[in-house]
Amino acid sequence: MVLTAITRDRWRSNFSEWFDWVIEEAEVYDYGRYPVKGMGVWMPYGFQIRRRVLELIRELHDRRGHEEVLFPLLIPETLLRKESEHIRGFEDEVYWVTHGGLEPLDVKLALRPTSETNITYYESLWIKSYKQLPKKYYQIVSVFRYETKATRAMIRLREVTTFKEAHTIHDSFEDSERQVLEAIEIYRELFDNLGIPYVISRRPEWDKFAGALYTIAFDTVMPDGRVLQIGTAHNLGQNFTRAFDFKIQLQDGSLDYPWQTSYGVSDRVIATIIAVHGDDRGLVLPPHIAPIQVVVIPIPVGSEEEKRLVLEEARSISRVLEERGFRVRVDEREELRPGAKYYYWEARGVPVRVDVGLEEVKTGVLTVVRRDTLDRYKVAGEELPSFIAKLFNDITVNIKRRAWDYLLSSIRRVTSMDEAREWAGEKRGILEMPWCSREECARRVEEELEVKTLGVVWPFEEARGLACPICGRPAVTWVRYAKTY
RNA sequence: GGGGCCGUAGUCUAGCCUGGCUAGGAUGCGGGGCUUGGGCCCCCGUGAUCCCGGGUUCAAAUCCCGGCGGCCCCA
């Protein structure tokens, strides 16, 4: 009866294949069949997961005074080219609309790769005074990037269908700095809420957002040991407002360019929920975002009368749980046997299962199984709602701790290149080394270990008394490297 | 940026090298029977412009060229 230990062998050793399998098996996202590279379809079950994540994102922004807006998808070339660093960073991956019907357009139209330019244009029309600031806008939209590298479902797309981009504007540099901190707090809260572990790094100069003063990034470690960027926050300084010649009146009556920040998260948040919590049987969803939180499986055995009793009991349990606010489904399908249903709902990550057979009907004691560990419990019927509520909490805590344990065990802090080379032999996770902060040294490490620089540990951490393992100069801080997606 | 592998029912796959028969199987789906405490079994049925376009040939899923798409490795 108990062949219910969870395994994560495929999850760990064959992550790409596992990921493609799970999003299809759980009917989250149909990828690879659409006749345009890098584009996929959110299926009903996946859409519901996505919707709950978006609700959370909206709540976190709204609570802190952000206002949701919706800007046009098409950005004329003239706007996109206003800020020179910005266009240089995006130029080779922009999709262009060049025709209206058969007519070639005078001004090409970009499918937005991001919206700094058209939003700044409107801000310059709307905002005239420091009294209107700070202003915090956000939108959740599709963005397009003509990726030339291999695309992957939900992780590297040409149409990013779920891009939450926030754009803020301030009357001083200090206030924009405070805003970057708020952005970091929002993302901490978002990822903590979803049980997603992360490290925060300040990206190196050569890898910051095109047009920004600097970029703070959230990264996580995938089961295969490669690192995925899951959120970024940029201080844009006055770069865009200068480019748009956008000035406001300050308290002392003078005119100056306002300061901006922008920060974003994408489909990758959902991909990460799937990746960090899943196992060889499929999804493991945090209860608060699971479309179905409890599935009741009737086990119809015996006489017709006994089958009827079992089904009625299953329905009655479902009603009670629904009244308590749980999202419940009774799987009454007659063509599937209970075992097949277990696999079905486990693949979809339903947090809790309740089995109802003749035994349960007779004794009033129910069999409850939690998805994250597959542990079984015997629970008296009247205690079921409170038991499940507590179980949700346990599951949330357990999967978060498990994910954090994995991330923390993937970080290796070293002080010499010998140790770094040893780490590179395994190529799993994140390497942290003292750094003199010169690009030259980081580039040497990138080249020798075949990694990318994630950036310096944020918040800033002194590397007291240590030397840069490359040049031997005194180290200023700690820097992170990893193989990335 | 460079290299390699691959594309056959919804899905997975055999056949391709060595061109020729009704493109075979599994799974799924529809119907029927039997069953139901961890992916039951049996019968019948259904489903493929063999990715697209061009070429070679009496004949192309198979060989050649181009495109589109997917996966992997290296920089």
Side-chain angles (χ1 to χ4, degrees):
Chain A
M1 158 154 166
V2 183
L3 32 106
T4 52
I6 65 155
T7 59
R8 296 182 114 183
D9 300 329
R10 282 203 305 140
W11 175 84
R12 184 182 302 103
S13 61
N14 225 335
F15 171 67
S16 279
E17 205 174 80
W18 175 88
F19 189 80
D20 289 343
W21 167 79
V22 77
I23 60 174
E24 183 191 332
E25 184 73 14
E27 299 184 295
V28 171
Y29 192 77
D30 193 328
Y31 184 76
R33 298 200 284 187
Y34 194 72
V36 179
K37 181 184 169 78
M39 298 187 184
V41 176
W42 286 97
M43 297 174 71
Y45 191 71
F47 194 90
Q48 288 192 62
I49 297 170
R50 176 179 176 275
R51 188 165 70 190
R52 294 208 149 73
V53 172
L54 293 188
E55 277 167 11
L56 174 60
I57 289 173
R58 286 195 166 96
E59 195 274 317
L60 291 173
H61 286 77
D62 293 350
R63 199 203 313 151
R64 291 176 174 84
H66 295 63
E67 300 173 285
E68 188 166 7
V69 293
L70 184 55
F71 277 73
L73 165 63
L74 297 176
I75 302 178
E77 183 175 20
T78 43
L79 269 193
L80 195 64
R81 287 197 184 282
K82 285 262 185 187
E83 210 289 329
S84 57
E85 286 296 320
H86 185 64
I87 186 63
R88 222 183 299 166
F90 283 101
E91 193 150 42
D92 60 353
E93 49 186 59
V94 170
Y95 273 99
W96 291 105
V97 175
T98 59
H99 286 71
L102 300 177
E103 289 287 302
L105 297 175
D106 291 339
V107 177
K108 288 191 294 181
L109 302 171
L111 299 186
R112 63 178 159 230
T114 178
S115 303
E116 276 73 9
T117 51
N118 58 352
I119 290 182
T120 300
Y121 171 66
Y122 265 85
E123 285 170 340
S124 76
L125 300 176
W126 292 340
I127 296 168
K128 302 295 177 191
S129 158
Y130 77 96
K131 287 184 181 172
Q132 294 169 276
L133 301 183
K135 206 77 187 166
K136 311 173 195 177
Y137 299 115
Y138 73 102
Q139 62 178 357
I140 302 175
V141 294
S142 278
V143 293
F144 294 82
R145 304 201 177 160
Y146 185 75
E147 293 285 351
T148 51
K149 306 231 180 232
T151 50
R152 324 177 74 91
M154 299 171 76
I155 288 176
R156 174 163 280 110
L157 296 165
R158 283 181 167 181
E159 179 181 4
V160 176
T161 58
T162 312
F163 189 58
K164 187 288 301 173
E165 47 177 334
H167 299 269
T168 71
I169 185 153
H170 309 272
D171 63 0
S172 68
F173 176 70
E174 290 69 32
D175 200 51
S176 70
E177 286 289 83
R178 183 205 49 73
Q179 190 59 41
V180 171
L181 295 181
E182 182 176 272
I184 291 168
E185 278 315 301
I186 290 171
Y187 289 165
R188 274 188 192 279
E189 198 173 332
L190 171 65
F191 296 131
D192 287 345
N193 185 291
L194 297 170
I196 295 173
Y198 49 83
V199 295
I200 306 174
S201 308
R202 181 175 167 132
R203 287 276 186 263
E205 279 298 301
W206 61 90
D207 195 30
K208 66 185 184 185
F209 178 76
L213 296 181
Y214 66 87
T215 292
I216 305 291
F218 285 69
D219 294 298
T220 194
V221 181
M222 292 285 106
D224 60 1
R226 290 172 72 179
V227 163
L228 185 70
Q229 172 176 301
I230 51 176
T232 50
H234 320 289
N235 191 321
L236 303 176
Q238 295 170 308
N239 291 344
F240 286 86
T241 56
R242 278 182 199 280
F244 281 80
D245 193 28
F246 163 28
K247 290 180 184 171
I248 58 162
Q249 196 145 23
L250 298 177
Q251 189 164 18
D252 63 9
S254 65
L255 292 175
D256 196 10
Y257 302 107
W259 304 77
Q260 292 173 303
T261 78
S262 68
Y263 33 103
V265 291
S266 70
D267 299 290
R268 286 181 168 192
V269 174
I270 300 157
T272 304
I273 294 168
I274 293 167
V276 304
H277 297 315
D279 64 30
D280 288 355
R281 289 174 187 236
L283 296 181
V284 176
L285 293 174
H288 64 295
I289 63 154
I292 297 169
Q293 297 175 303
V294 181
V295 63
V296 181
I297 310 287
I299 297 153
V301 65
S303 68
E304 286 304 312
E305 173 61 11
E306 287 168 325
K307 288 180 186 174
R308 196 182 57 78
L309 281 175
V310 163
L311 196 55
E312 274 178 12
E313 176 68 6
R315 287 174 181 163
S316 137
I317 289 166
S318 163
R319 270 196 304 277
V320 170
L321 291 174
E322 270 169 1
E323 280 162 16
R324 299 295 194 93
F326 297 105
R327 296 187 287 273
V328 190
R329 170 78 59 87
V330 182
D331 190 345
E332 297 191 14
R333 289 177 294 178
E334 290 177 7
E335 65 275 17
L336 291 186
R337 295 164 63 143
K341 294 179 183 178
Y342 300 159
Y343 283 96
Y344 182 92
W345 294 109
E346 281 164 8
R348 283 159 181 74
V350 175
V352 170
R353 189 181 91 220
V354 179
D355 292 347
V356 182
L358 258 191
E359 195 186 314
E360 284 79 2
V361 172
K362 283 177 187 157
T363 62
V365 176
L366 301 163
T367 304
V368 176
V369 182
R370 60 190 280 183
R371 173 64 185 88
D372 60 333
T373 60
L374 296 179
D375 287 342
R376 280 154 196 266
Y377 305 89
K378 293 288 184 184
V379 182
E382 63 272 19
E383 292 167 14
L384 191 65
S386 61
F387 185 86
I388 291 178
K390 184 181 173 304
L391 206 48
F392 280 2
N393 191 48
D394 289 353
I395 292 169
T396 304
V397 169
N398 179 54
I399 64 177
K400 182 175 178 179
R401 190 186 54 227
R402 182 169 70 178
W404 269 102
D405 284 348
Y406 174 77
L407 179 104
L408 294 173
S409 74
S410 305
I411 300 173
R412 179 93 165 273
R413 188 166 269 214
V414 306
T415 53
S416 74
M417 274 308 281
D418 281 345
E419 291 170 284
R421 284 186 198 99
E422 186 191 313
W423 170 88
E426 302 157 28
K427 279 184 189 162
R428 285 183 73 89
I430 297 168
L431 181 72
E432 293 180 350
M433 279 207 296
W435 189 36
C436 62
S437 80
R438 297 185 317 140
E439 176 170 354
E440 187 187 331
C441 287
R443 296 291 200 183
R444 284 260 310 273
V445 175
E446 286 189 349
E447 203 167 312
E448 180 171 346
L449 302 184
E450 296 175 339
V451 291
K452 281 198 61 177
T453 307
L454 298 181
V456 303
V457 171
W458 190 95
F460 183 83
E461 188 182 340
E462 233 180 299
R464 200 180 287 275
L466 294 170
C468 173
I470 302 296
C471 66
R473 289 181 173 83
V476 176
T477 184
W478 292 87
V479 66
R480 297 190 173 109
Y481 302 96
K483 267 202 175 284
T484 58
Y485 268 94

